[in-house]
Amino acid sequence: MAKPAAAASEDTAAPGTGAPRTLPPGAVLGVLGGGQLGRMMALAGSAMGYRFVALDPAPDAPCGQVTPQITAAYDDRDAARELARRADVITYEFENVDADVAALLTAESYVPQGSALLYTTQHRLREKAAVEAAGVPVAPYRKVGSLAELTAAAAELGRPCVLKTATGGYDGKGQAVIRQPEELEAAFRQVAPGASAGGALPELVLEKFVAFKCEISVVAARSASGEVKSFPAAENIHVNNILHLSIVPARVPEEIQRRACELAERIVSGMNAVGLLAVEMFVTESGELFVNELAPRPHNSGHYTMDACVTSQFEQHVRAICNLPLGDTSLLTPVVMVNVLGQHLDGAIQAVCAPDEAGNRLGVAPKLHIYGKAESKTGRKMGHINLLCKDTGDGLSWVEQTNLWRN
């Protein structure tokens, strides 16, 4: 299917130049990645009048269920060119995009997010340097290239500390916590398993473990023309290194919430990002904020915006890359977002098909979102529920009383 002519405004630019273009509804957005983030982006953008096409290697991917899909590997250059041919603008729904494909698309199509942001956020050391360059603190860290360097860095930073690969890794993968000296070698072998077999050693980073009171995140948006807005800070609770709950408003003082939004906006501006940038932070007992990680895309901790904010993070991302005025990010109601993993899916579906006694008693309105993944697996994110409530304590009580998350 050839793309229809987009009614772009007069401030268009040639493909690959990176200059801002305003793409009104009717344009076709190409999405590199066909997972749940692309699906929710397409649903939000379609309501605005945009059309979508996704590229994903999995047949019947979640995004492909609601929009046309090119089924091919992410490093398939011919498929990338087909995506560019069919779309007026290209975005991505995950950050581990093949570098060659990202460069090809940037050269041959309009990719307002560019490849520089991917280059930075794909690598923890580059990412930390960029955050520091924006004048925002990160936890103390050291580059590690050998077991000897790990031993020296751990002695310098102190324990506990966390060893991570500089690239890849998510939901706790590609990292190990070190609490005792005798754990150093095992952690090194775990995170760099090929090293002991004479294989190439991946770049590693050792981070000082921050004694934090809680973790929060802020999703900030920057449009192609430079307008910046952030969503309210979410307090995040993880179980087995996977996000379990996001609580909004975060249960921290308003001054910390405000400062977290300011830091996120400083980073998204300093990096000249376009689209969304999720900024994960630690909050210490003394109220200090340290940035942990960045994600240049819609984020799991921003899913609450779909039902609880004037503008969802997915609509905001579309607005940003199409250079429309950014939407109002005001919170309409307190909300608790709870992830539905594979082991919770059947119970969650059954729960929405039955009278909600806990919701009626607590004054909580659950909003279920299912991602359409082909296979349900333990620990795999299959959906989420946004619990709209008068007080987040009521939403947390609903999670406890429905007992779906006991396993």
Side-chain angles (χ1 to χ4, degrees), residues 235-249:
E235 177 186 350
N236 300 318
I237 296 175
H238 294 77
V239 174
N240 297 326
N241 294 311
I242 300 173
L243 181 63
H244 174 45
L245 299 168
S246 289
I247 303 165
V248 189

PDB file of all heavy atoms in Angstrom, residues 235-249:
ATOM      1  N   GLU A 235       5.276   7.187  41.408  1.00  0.00           N
ATOM      2  CA  GLU A 235       6.057   6.374  42.337  1.00  0.00           C
ATOM      3  C   GLU A 235       5.957   4.926  41.884  1.00  0.00           C
ATOM      4  O   GLU A 235       4.860   4.412  41.680  1.00  0.00           O
ATOM      5  CB  GLU A 235       5.520   6.523  43.753  1.00  0.00           C
ATOM      6  CG  GLU A 235       6.232   5.645  44.771  1.00  0.00           C
ATOM      7  CD  GLU A 235       5.589   5.691  46.146  1.00  0.00           C
ATOM      8  OE1 GLU A 235       4.699   6.546  46.362  1.00  0.00           O
ATOM      9  OE2 GLU A 235       5.960   4.866  46.998  1.00  0.00           O
ATOM     10  N   ASN A 236       7.101   4.279  41.718  1.00  0.00           N
ATOM     11  CA  ASN A 236       7.134   2.940  41.130  1.00  0.00           C
ATOM     12  C   ASN A 236       7.585   1.892  42.139  1.00  0.00           C
ATOM     13  O   ASN A 236       8.549   2.100  42.873  1.00  0.00           O
ATOM     14  CB  ASN A 236       8.068   2.919  39.923  1.00  0.00           C
ATOM     15  CG  ASN A 236       7.633   3.889  38.842  1.00  0.00           C
ATOM     16  OD1 ASN A 236       6.439   4.003  38.550  1.00  0.00           O
ATOM     17  ND2 ASN A 236       8.578   4.593  38.252  1.00  0.00           N
ATOM     18  N   ILE A 237       6.884   0.775  42.147  1.00  0.00           N
ATOM     19  CA  ILE A 237       7.232  -0.354  43.001  1.00  0.00           C
ATOM     20  C   ILE A 237       7.479  -1.559  42.103  1.00  0.00           C
ATOM     21  O   ILE A 237       6.637  -1.910  41.272  1.00  0.00           O
ATOM     22  CB  ILE A 237       6.108  -0.652  44.014  1.00  0.00           C
ATOM     23  CG1 ILE A 237       5.929   0.542  44.964  1.00  0.00           C
ATOM     24  CG2 ILE A 237       6.412  -1.925  44.800  1.00  0.00           C
ATOM     25  CD1 ILE A 237       4.775   0.416  45.927  1.00  0.00           C
ATOM     26  N   HIS A 238       8.654  -2.180  42.273  1.00  0.00           N
ATOM     27  CA  HIS A 238       9.039  -3.331  41.464  1.00  0.00           C
ATOM     28  C   HIS A 238       8.959  -4.618  42.286  1.00  0.00           C
ATOM     29  O   HIS A 238       9.214  -4.610  43.485  1.00  0.00           O
ATOM     30  CB  HIS A 238      10.467  -3.162  40.932  1.00  0.00           C
ATOM     31  CG  HIS A 238      10.617  -2.038  39.959  1.00  0.00           C
ATOM     32  ND1 HIS A 238      10.670  -0.719  40.346  1.00  0.00           N
ATOM     33  CD2 HIS A 238      10.729  -2.043  38.599  1.00  0.00           C
ATOM     34  CE1 HIS A 238      10.809   0.047  39.266  1.00  0.00           C
ATOM     35  NE2 HIS A 238      10.835  -0.731  38.207  1.00  0.00           N
ATOM     36  N   VAL A 239       8.635  -5.704  41.610  1.00  0.00           N
ATOM     37  CA  VAL A 239       8.665  -7.036  42.202  1.00  0.00           C
ATOM     38  C   VAL A 239       9.458  -7.929  41.242  1.00  0.00           C
ATOM     39  O   VAL A 239       9.143  -7.993  40.051  1.00  0.00           O
ATOM     40  CB  VAL A 239       7.237  -7.603  42.411  1.00  0.00           C
ATOM     41  CG1 VAL A 239       7.308  -9.053  42.889  1.00  0.00           C
ATOM     42  CG2 VAL A 239       6.462  -6.744  43.403  1.00  0.00           C
ATOM     43  N   ASN A 240      10.518  -8.560  41.762  1.00  0.00           N
ATOM     44  CA  ASN A 240      11.395  -9.398  40.930  1.00  0.00           C
ATOM     45  C   ASN A 240      11.939  -8.615  39.740  1.00  0.00           C
ATOM     46  O   ASN A 240      12.015  -9.115  38.614  1.00  0.00           O
ATOM     47  CB  ASN A 240      10.654 -10.654  40.453  1.00  0.00           C
ATOM     48  CG  ASN A 240      10.238 -11.564  41.590  1.00  0.00           C
ATOM     49  OD1 ASN A 240      10.942 -11.665  42.597  1.00  0.00           O
ATOM     50  ND2 ASN A 240       9.092 -12.200  41.458  1.00  0.00           N
ATOM     51  N   ASN A 241      12.293  -7.354  39.998  1.00  0.00           N
ATOM     52  CA  ASN A 241      12.898  -6.472  38.993  1.00  0.00           C
ATOM     53  C   ASN A 241      11.961  -6.101  37.852  1.00  0.00           C
ATOM     54  O   ASN A 241      12.398  -5.586  36.820  1.00  0.00           O
ATOM     55  CB  ASN A 241      14.177  -7.085  38.414  1.00  0.00           C
ATOM     56  CG  ASN A 241      15.280  -7.191  39.436  1.00  0.00           C
ATOM     57  OD1 ASN A 241      15.581  -6.222  40.134  1.00  0.00           O
ATOM     58  ND2 ASN A 241      15.880  -8.368  39.556  1.00  0.00           N
ATOM     59  N   ILE A 242      10.661  -6.353  38.007  1.00  0.00           N
ATOM     60  CA  ILE A 242       9.662  -5.968  37.005  1.00  0.00           C
ATOM     61  C   ILE A 242       8.711  -4.968  37.654  1.00  0.00           C
ATOM     62  O   ILE A 242       8.272  -5.167  38.790  1.00  0.00           O
ATOM     63  CB  ILE A 242       8.877  -7.192  36.499  1.00  0.00           C
ATOM     64  CG1 ILE A 242       9.821  -8.208  35.851  1.00  0.00           C
ATOM     65  CG2 ILE A 242       7.804  -6.774  35.497  1.00  0.00           C
ATOM     66  CD1 ILE A 242       9.149  -9.517  35.478  1.00  0.00           C
ATOM     67  N   LEU A 243       8.386  -3.903  36.936  1.00  0.00           N
ATOM     68  CA  LEU A 243       7.470  -2.908  37.482  1.00  0.00           C
ATOM     69  C   LEU A 243       6.140  -3.565  37.840  1.00  0.00           C
ATOM     70  O   LEU A 243       5.511  -4.216  37.008  1.00  0.00           O
ATOM     71  CB  LEU A 243       7.250  -1.778  36.473  1.00  0.00           C
ATOM     72  CG  LEU A 243       6.323  -0.647  36.946  1.00  0.00           C
ATOM     73  CD1 LEU A 243       6.910   0.078  38.148  1.00  0.00           C
ATOM     74  CD2 LEU A 243       6.070   0.343  35.806  1.00  0.00           C
ATOM     75  N   HIS A 244       5.719  -3.362  39.072  1.00  0.00           N
ATOM     76  CA  HIS A 244       4.449  -3.909  39.550  1.00  0.00           C
ATOM     77  C   HIS A 244       3.394  -2.813  39.637  1.00  0.00           C
ATOM     78  O   HIS A 244       2.307  -2.950  39.078  1.00  0.00           O
ATOM     79  CB  HIS A 244       4.666  -4.565  40.917  1.00  0.00           C
ATOM     80  CG  HIS A 244       3.415  -5.038  41.586  1.00  0.00           C
ATOM     81  ND1 HIS A 244       2.423  -5.749  40.934  1.00  0.00           N
ATOM     82  CD2 HIS A 244       2.983  -4.895  42.874  1.00  0.00           C
ATOM     83  CE1 HIS A 244       1.451  -6.039  41.782  1.00  0.00           C
ATOM     84  NE2 HIS A 244       1.749  -5.522  42.961  1.00  0.00           N
ATOM     85  N   LEU A 245       3.714  -1.707  40.323  1.00  0.00           N
ATOM     86  CA  LEU A 245       2.759  -0.627  40.553  1.00  0.00           C
ATOM     87  C   LEU A 245       3.364   0.729  40.205  1.00  0.00           C
ATOM     88  O   LEU A 245       4.545   0.964  40.448  1.00  0.00           O
ATOM     89  CB  LEU A 245       2.337  -0.584  42.026  1.00  0.00           C
ATOM     90  CG  LEU A 245       1.631  -1.785  42.644  1.00  0.00           C
ATOM     91  CD1 LEU A 245       1.581  -1.618  44.157  1.00  0.00           C
ATOM     92  CD2 LEU A 245       0.217  -1.905  42.083  1.00  0.00           C
ATOM     93  N   SER A 246       2.554   1.601  39.671  1.00  0.00           N
ATOM     94  CA  SER A 246       2.875   3.028  39.575  1.00  0.00           C
ATOM     95  C   SER A 246       1.771   3.789  40.302  1.00  0.00           C
ATOM     96  O   SER A 246       0.586   3.578  40.014  1.00  0.00           O
ATOM     97  CB  SER A 246       2.963   3.490  38.118  1.00  0.00           C
ATOM     98  OG  SER A 246       4.111   2.961  37.494  1.00  0.00           O
ATOM     99  N   ILE A 247       2.166   4.649  41.231  1.00  0.00           N
ATOM    100  CA  ILE A 247       1.226   5.361  42.095  1.00  0.00           C
ATOM    101  C   ILE A 247       1.328   6.847  41.795  1.00  0.00           C
ATOM    102  O   ILE A 247       2.417   7.429  41.859  1.00  0.00           O
ATOM    103  CB  ILE A 247       1.564   5.097  43.579  1.00  0.00           C
ATOM    104  CG1 ILE A 247       1.545   3.582  43.859  1.00  0.00           C
ATOM    105  CG2 ILE A 247       0.602   5.829  44.499  1.00  0.00           C
ATOM    106  CD1 ILE A 247       2.216   3.201  45.168  1.00  0.00           C
ATOM    107  N   VAL A 248       0.199   7.459  41.451  1.00  0.00           N
ATOM    108  CA  VAL A 248       0.181   8.878  41.078  1.00  0.00           C
ATOM    109  C   VAL A 248      -1.008   9.562  41.744  1.00  0.00           C
ATOM    110  O   VAL A 248      -2.146   9.079  41.597  1.00  0.00           O
ATOM    111  CB  VAL A 248       0.093   9.041  39.547  1.00  0.00           C
ATOM    112  CG1 VAL A 248       0.289  10.503  39.151  1.00  0.00           C
ATOM    113  CG2 VAL A 248       1.123   8.166  38.835  1.00  0.00           C
ATOM    114  N   PRO A 249      -0.785  10.648  42.501  1.00  0.00           N
ATOM    115  CA  PRO A 249       0.479  11.313  42.733  1.00  0.00           C
ATOM    116  C   PRO A 249       1.449  10.447  43.537  1.00  0.00           C
ATOM    117  O   PRO A 249       1.037   9.648  44.376  1.00  0.00           O
ATOM    118  CB  PRO A 249       0.087  12.559  43.545  1.00  0.00           C
ATOM    119  CG  PRO A 249      -1.382  12.723  43.356  1.00  0.00           C
ATOM    120  CD  PRO A 249      -1.924  11.341  43.156  1.00  0.00           C
TER     121      PRO A 249
END
